[in-house]
Amino acid sequence: EAGVAQSPRYKIIEKRQSVAFWCNPISGHATLYWYQQILGQGPKLLIQFQNNGVVDDSQLPKDRFSAERLKGVDSTLKIQPAKLEDSAVYLCASSPTVSSGIYEQYFGPGTRLTVT
Amino acid sequence: AQSVTQLGSHVSVSEGALVLLRCNYSSSVPPYLFWYVQYPNQGLQLLLKYTSAATLVKGINGFEAEFKKSETSFHLTKPSAHMSDAAEYFCAVSDVNFGNEKLTFGTGTRLTIIP
């Protein structure tokens, strides 16, 4: 079974530029998550999708961050314009539905963003 | 709101010694608890999970954790450390009981193995 795919793996941009990250979840997983992991901290949930609908985006800085999950499969996370404090690893994860009883999130390798 | 606290941001143990990584949780409902491991430049991998069944949970790579409601703890242990265990470990709590799989992570513990 293929895992969660993310691209690019690394990105360096200047502040005020825009950037986009892509995630392809495990086939058949209804739920997709984007996390931000700042160096030295645990991952923080930015947004959660159930199929192509948003379940939780309470911690997404909506003035600069946006995300979509077209057709309920892959997803993109965009930052525009980027700030220095956005430097972090952006992790994508997916999981089956709660009704499956699996209760596990499967993580991709992440995209390391450096804003200079 | 649910939260977890990991005591000790860095832990060093000798190869072959006991590994003990501490995690305490705060939850208003019976929690679902998880331990994830993160190797350098990789995503997180699930070590084990507690979902209200047996209080002693066995995971991969010889790790186990015990859910202690009276102490609100879910400490991770391994009897004998191996060099390959060097990584960052995250404890997490979820409110899956309400149909929401949102994970709240601790700040992590970096485990170093001394040869």
Side-chain angles (χ1 to χ4, degrees):
Chain A
E1 174 181 79
V4 176
Q6 290 188 247
S7 67
R9 291 294 312 277
Y10 305 91
K11 189 73 176 179
I12 300 174
I13 62 172
E14 296 181 352
K15 60 183 178 183
R16 292 187 288 274
Q17 287 186 323
S18 63
V19 64
F21 312 127
W22 175 82
C23 172
N24 190 31
I26 293 174
S27 177
H29 281 191
T31 310
L32 185 148
Y33 313 79
W34 284 102
Y35 289 89
Q36 180 191 57
Q37 186 178 17
I38 294 173
L39 185 65
Q41 300 181 20
K44 181 186 80 171
L45 179 69
L46 291 176
I47 189 167
Q48 176 184 350
F49 292 94
Q50 179 83 9
N51 296 309
N52 60 353
V54 176
V55 173
D56 185 347
D57 64 356
S58 57
Q59 298 192 87
L60 186 73
K62 299 181 185 63
D63 58 332
R64 299 184 300 105
F65 285 65
S66 64
E68 59 183 9
R69 190 183 184 194
L70 299 176
K71 301 180 181 179
V73 182
D74 55 354
S75 175
T76 55
L77 176 70
K78 297 179 181 178
I79 307 175
Q80 182 179 10
K83 292 185 176 181
L84 294 177
E85 58 261 35
D86 298 332
S87 294
V89 175
Y90 290 84
L91 295 165
C92 179
S94 69
S95 68
T97 58
V98 171
S99 60
S100 71
I102 295 178
Y103 310 128
E104 177 178 349
Q105 294 184 23
Y106 298 80
F107 285 80
T111 296
R112 182 177 298 276
L113 173 67
T114 302
V115 182
T116 63
Chain B
Q2 297 182 319
S3 66
V4 290
T5 301
Q6 292 185 242
L7 299 177
S9 58
H10 292 85
V11 170
S12 296
V13 301
S14 298
E15 189 175 15
L18 171 71
V19 174
L20 170 61
L21 304 183
R22 301 177 185 274
C23 174
N24 289 90
Y25 69 89
S26 173
S27 175
S28 59
V29 298
Y32 283 28
L33 294 160
F34 305 79
W35 275 100
Y36 280 84
V37 60
Q38 187 176 34
Y39 298 101
N41 299 315
Q42 295 187 27
L44 281 73
Q45 179 184 8
L46 181 70
L47 277 177
L48 49 81
K49 59 187 177 186
Y50 167 75
T51 57
S52 74
T55 56
L56 181 62
V57 181
K58 294 187 183 298
I60 62 172
N61 301 339
F63 284 94
E64 63 181 35
E66 186 172 7
F67 174 74
K68 292 186 176 180
K69 184 177 179 180
S70 61
E71 300 177 7
T72 62
S73 69
F74 190 58
H75 301 332
L76 182 71
T77 60
K78 182 174 180 178
S80 178
H82 191 272
M83 295 301 294
S84 61
D85 295 327
E88 184 122 27
Y89 293 79
F90 292 94
C91 182
V93 62
S94 175
D95 53 357
V96 173
N97 293 305
F98 294 99
N100 183 349
E101 304 162 52
K102 173 181 176 179
L103 284 175
T104 300
F105 286 88
T107 52
T109 297
R110 182 170 299 278
L111 177 64
T112 300
I113 310 299
I114 303 167

